[in-house]
Amino acid sequence: MLSHSDQPPTYAPPANPWFIFTALLAGSFITMEAAAFQAPAIPAISKYFGIPASIAALVSMIYYLALVIGHPICGQLADRFGRKRILTIGLLSFTVSEFLAAKSPSYELLLVARFLQGASVACILPVILSYIAYLFPSEKRGMPLGIMVFTMSFGATTGAVIGGLLIDTFSWRAVYWASGTLSILGLLLTLWKVPETPTTRAEIKVDKGGIVLLFFTATALLSAPTMMSRFGLSSAEALSVLGVGIICAFIMWQVEKRAQSPVVDTRIMSKRSFFIPCLVYMLFLVVHGGTIYSLSFFISDRPGGSASQVGLINTFAFGTSMGF
C-alpha cells in the first residue's frame, strides 16, 4: 500500500468545520440507509429470481466482501491522493452501482452491482471518519463522533421501514432507485462544501500478497455461514470453506508481519487493547447480521407477511441501538 515514512505537511483546520461536517453527514446517512434497505429486499429478490435463501445471502455477502477488502486500501489512498477526491469517487461509483442494481436483468449482474456498492462505501466511511480528525482538534472530537454514529443509526432506522414500504408499494428495485437518487445529493454537497485535504508525497507500494490473502480469507469466512445453511453445520462443504478461511487468515498474519507496507497492520492487531474490542465487535456484527437476515425471511414468508413488516421489525432493532 503506502509508505508511511513521509509525514504529511502541516496545515490549519478550516474556520467553519461544522458546515463541512454537516455536508459529510449526508454521505454517512445515505450509505447506512442503503444498507438497511437490503434486509426487507432480500426475500423479494429471492422470489423474483427464483433462488433459495442461502443463495440470496450472496447479496449481502458480496457487499461486505468488497467492504472488508476496500477499507484498508481506500483509507490509505485518501492519504496519498486527497480525502475529497477519494470520497467523490466513492459517492459517484455508489450512485452508478445503485442504478445498475435497479436495472439488473439478472441475479449475476445484481451481485456485480452489490460488489461495486461495497467498494464504494469503503471509499466513503473511512474518509468521513478521517475528516473528523482533520476538522476538529483531539479534545473536541467526541461530539462530532457521537453525532456521526447517531446519524448512521438514524439512517439504518429510517431505511428499514422506508425500504419495506417502497418494496410493498413498488418493487425491490425501488430501494436502489431511492438510494441512487439520495447519493446524488450527497455527491453535490461534497463537491460544494467539502474542501480537499493535504496529501502525502509517499510512494505507493502495493502489498499484492496481502490483498490476495485478505480476499481469500474474507471470501471463505463470509461464505461459511451460507455453506452451513445450505449443506449443514457439520457438512464437508461447510467445514472445508471454514478451514480454508482459518488457514488463509493464519498465513496472512505471518506474511503481513514481514510486509514493508502491510494491508493489515499486525502491529496494531497484536495489541490486546485493540484486538479484543475488535473481536467483540466482530462477534456482535455476526450475530446481529445473522438475526436481521433470518428474521427477514421468517417474517416475509409467514402468512400475511410483507416487506413492510420486515422493515418495521428492523426499525425497532436499529432504533433501540440509536437510542442507547
Side-chain angles (χ1 to χ4, degrees):
M1 298 316 303
L2 302 179
S3 171
H4 297 285
S5 58
D6 295 339
Q7 295 298 320
T10 58
Y11 58 87
N16 54 345
W18 284 103
F19 287 102
I20 299 169
F21 180 64
T22 302
L24 290 168
L25 287 178
S28 60
F29 175 84
I30 291 164
T31 53
M32 292 309 298
E33 187 170 53
F37 281 164
Q38 296 307 311
I42 289 177
I45 291 171
S46 175
K47 292 176 183 177
Y48 181 86
F49 289 109
I51 54 178
S54 57
I55 301 300
L58 292 174
V59 172
S60 291
M61 193 208 82
I62 203 77
Y63 169 87
Y64 286 109
L65 175 63
L67 191 62
V68 168
I69 297 172
H71 261 304
I73 298 172
C74 294
Q76 295 186 57
L77 288 176
D79 292 337
R80 176 64 178 85
F81 296 105
R83 293 182 178 94
K84 181 176 181 177
R85 181 175 297 179
I86 298 301
L87 178 58
T88 301
I89 292 173
L91 286 168
L92 180 60
S93 59
F94 184 80
T95 303
V96 172
S97 68
E98 290 292 320
F99 291 148
L100 179 62
K103 294 287 290 181
S104 295
S106 66
Y107 185 62
E108 291 76 15
L109 187 57
L110 176 62
L111 292 180
V112 172
R114 287 290 289 161
F115 186 87
L116 181 57
Q117 287 167 19
S120 303
V121 174
C123 292
I124 297 170
L125 291 183
V127 175
I128 292 176
L129 280 170
S130 68
Y131 258 106
I132 294 178
Y134 170 72
L135 295 173
F136 302 97
S138 57
E139 68 274 11
K140 294 183 179 180
R141 290 173 191 163
M143 181 177 290
L145 280 169
I147 292 174
M148 180 181 174
V149 173
F150 177 86
T151 302
M152 294 170 67
S153 298
F154 184 68
T157 302
T158 57
V161 66
I162 293 174
L165 291 171
L166 286 172
I167 293 166
D168 283 343
T169 304
F170 302 102
S171 73
W172 60 269
R173 298 182 187 274
V175 298
Y176 295 111
W177 286 117
S179 295
T181 303
L182 285 174
S183 61
I184 293 176
L185 174 61
L187 176 61
L188 293 176
L189 285 172
T190 298
L191 293 172
W192 177 40
K193 281 290 185 182
V194 178
E196 185 56 277
T197 57
T199 59
T200 67
R201 296 179 180 178
E203 179 187 356
I204 298 179
K205 295 182 179 179
V206 180
D207 180 17
K208 296 179 181 178
I211 293 175
V212 171
L213 286 169
L214 179 61
F215 175 81
F216 282 107
T217 300
T219 301
L221 293 179
L222 288 172
S223 300
T226 301
M227 300 299 287
M228 291 175 183
S229 173
R230 189 174 186 185
F231 298 106
L233 289 173
S234 58
S235 64
E237 293 85 353
L239 293 178
S240 297
V241 170
L242 183 62
V244 169
I246 294 173
I247 292 171
C248 287
F250 176 78
I251 296 174
M252 181 178 68
W253 186 273
Q254 300 302 317
V255 169
E256 294 299 271
K257 283 182 179 180
R258 299 187 295 271
Q260 187 176 4
S261 184
V263 68
V264 177
D265 194 339
T266 56
R267 293 171 298 177
I268 297 177
M269 296 300 294
S270 62
K271 297 180 180 179
R272 283 189 64 187
S273 58
F274 183 82
F275 176 75
I276 292 178
C278 285
L279 180 62
V280 171
Y281 187 57
M282 183 190 73
L283 294 174
F284 159 75
L285 290 178
V286 169
V287 175
H288 184 265
T291 302
I292 294 295
Y293 175 79
S294 301
L295 278 175
S296 299
F297 279 92
F298 173 75
I299 295 169
S300 62
D301 289 343
R302 56 189 285 275
S306 65
S308 298
Q309 293 176 357
V310 175
L312 184 62
I313 291 293
N314 291 339
T315 293
F316 277 95
F318 292 126
T320 303
S321 299
M322 182 183 68
F324 278 98

